């Protein structure tokens, strides 16, 4: 319950302060009852019968606490707590009539009320009955006098007000702490959910990256092998074996290059063409292979300073060129291809221009190539644009920050 008696959800890991130190509360109850018992037995002017009765009632009160109070403190239930204090009121009523010093026990009983009872109305009723019992015992012993009223004020009224104020303050702090604990528990679960979502997103992104890598390398390499094999089959029917041997050499060379790409992909390394070469060198080698495999001449031009690029920028631009050249070989029916690599102070860009049949970009919805190019460029803070029209060739341009992903994050 909260401070107004309403239900309050408490996380399973949250335990109130007094519940962490049950043994301390038990010791305090035993010591308090023991001190009152000792004082009643050896102090004051009580008759022997009264002393014996007082000690007996205090022992009964201790046993009552052990049997009913301890379970009520472990699991705060109003009905159980009210039952415990009903017995306390009965036993203390007899003690007060013989040993007024037993009012000292209110210092121990008041916190127990807030530990065992959750509803404020019930707490107030029990508090008034406990302190009222002290006042009633004083009136019975001394009568209604000014001195008695003063004693009641000191021993009952002021401690009652203090107990209510202290209880309200403490329970308010407890309710606030429980609310904060609930928020922390919710935040912890939210953080775990976000971590799981980030992990899933990372897995998805890695799958997308691998799909793009496979499409840009292995798939294109296998396509080249297939085209060379088909060409060799035609030559085998029309030409001597010596001519076919040249095509077989091309197939073997393409297969070896594709194998190197596969090994680099598995090892998560840079493309082999970039291992010991600049991006411009890698593009020249790529153009030479395209000319060799398709018979369509491809040229490379470079504008600007080629140094200072992030490795990931080089990889993305190389993959973009591979994809664009693969599309040219499969669809363009071009007679010439130009690869233009350009740099400025902040960006690096590569454009693949062909003079083929062209197409209407608005009517192209399928395929992974252009979609993969755009996704990869966007992931690194860049752009991918495609210009084409039927009969007028095609230009694919990818532009990225020179510093790679770090520059994209800062921008």
């Amino acid at each position: 319950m909260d401070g107004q008696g309403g239900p309050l959800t408490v996380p399973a890991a949250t335990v109130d302060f007094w519940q962490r130190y049950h043994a301390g509360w038990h010791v305090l109850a035993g010591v308090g009852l023991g001190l009152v018992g000792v004082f009643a037995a050896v102090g004051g002017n009580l008759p022997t019968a009264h002393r014996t009765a007082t000690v007996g009632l205090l022992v009964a009160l201790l046993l009552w606490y052990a049997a009913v109070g301890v379970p009520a403190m472990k699991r705060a239930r109003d009905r159980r707590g009210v039952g415990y204090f009903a017995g306390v009121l009965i036993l203390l009523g007899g003690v007060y009539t013989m040993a007024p010093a037993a009012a000292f026990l209110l210092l121990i009983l008041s916190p127990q009320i807030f530990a065992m009872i959750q509803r404020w109305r019930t707490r107030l009723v029990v508090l008034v009955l406990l302190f009222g019992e002290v006042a009633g015992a004083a009136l019975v012993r001394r009568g209604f006098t000014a001195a008695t009223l003063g004693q009641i004020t000191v021993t009952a009224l002021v401690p009652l007000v203090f107990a209510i104020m202290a209880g309200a303050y403490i329970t308010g702090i407890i309710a606030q702490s429980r609310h904060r604990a609930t928020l922390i528990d919710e935040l912890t679960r939210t953080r775990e959910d976000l971590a799981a979502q980030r992990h899933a997103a990372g897995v998805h992104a890695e799958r997308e990256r691998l799909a793009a890598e496979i499409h840009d390398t292995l798939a294109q390499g296998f396509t080249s092998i297939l085209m060379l094999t088909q060409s060799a089959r035609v030559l085998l029917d029309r030409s001597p074996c010596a001519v076919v041997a040249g095509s077989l050499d091309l197939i073997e060379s393409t297969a070896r290059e594709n194998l190197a790409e596969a090994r680099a992909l598995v090892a998560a390394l840079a493309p082999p063409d970039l291992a010991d070469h600049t991006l411009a060198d890698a593009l020249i080698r790529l153009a030479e292979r395209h000319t060799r495999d398709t018979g369509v001449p491809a040229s490379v031009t470079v504008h600007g300073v080629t140094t200072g690029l992030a490795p990931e920028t080089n990889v993305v631009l190389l993959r973009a060129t591979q994809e664009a050249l693969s599309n040219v070989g499969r669809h363009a029916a071009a007679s010439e291809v130009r690869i233009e690599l350009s740099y400025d102070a902040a960006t690096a860009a590569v454009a693949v221009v062909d003079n083929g049949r062209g197409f209407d970009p608005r009517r192209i919805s399928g395929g992974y190539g252009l979609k993969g190019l755009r996704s990869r460029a966007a992931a690194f803070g860049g752009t991918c644009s495609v210009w084409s029209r039927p009969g007028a060739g095609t230009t694919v341009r990818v532009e990225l920050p020179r510093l790679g992903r770090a520059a994209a994050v800062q921008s």
Side-chain angles (χ1 to χ4, degrees), residues 358-365 370 374 386-390 394:
F359 64 97
D360 185 354
R362 294 173 299 178
R363 296 185 179 181
I364 302 299
S365 59
L370 293 179
R374 291 191 176 98
V386 179
W387 181 92
S388 182
R389 67 182 183 186
T394 301

Side-chain angles (χ1 to χ4, degrees), residues 253-345:
S253 176
T254 303
R256 290 184 184 277
E257 293 168 356
N258 207 38
L259 179 60
E261 289 281 3
R263 288 172 175 169
L265 181 60
V266 171
L269 300 175
D273 286 336
L274 291 175
D276 300 311
H277 303 86
T278 65
L279 176 59
D281 294 334
L283 293 180
I284 291 173
R285 291 163 59 90
L286 191 61
E288 292 173 348
R289 285 200 297 270
H290 180 81
T291 301
R292 181 197 67 191
D293 295 344
T294 65
V296 177
S299 61
V300 177
T301 58
V302 180
H303 305 282
V305 180
T306 62
T307 59
L309 261 68
E312 58 191 18
T313 299
N314 289 332
V315 173
V316 175
L317 293 178
L318 178 62
R319 297 306 190 203
T321 305
Q322 287 177 319
E323 169 62 23
L325 287 179
S326 176
N327 288 338
V328 170
R330 290 197 301 264
H331 309 298
S335 61
E336 181 185 2
V337 182
R338 299 195 317 274
I339 302 173
E340 300 176 355
L341 180 61
S342 58
Y343 303 90
D344 59 27

Side-chain angles (χ1 to χ4, degrees), residues 228-239 244:
L228 290 171
T229 303
Q230 292 172 345
S231 176
R233 187 183 300 277
V234 174
L235 290 175
L236 185 62
D237 294 334
R238 299 179 181 178
S239 305
V244 178

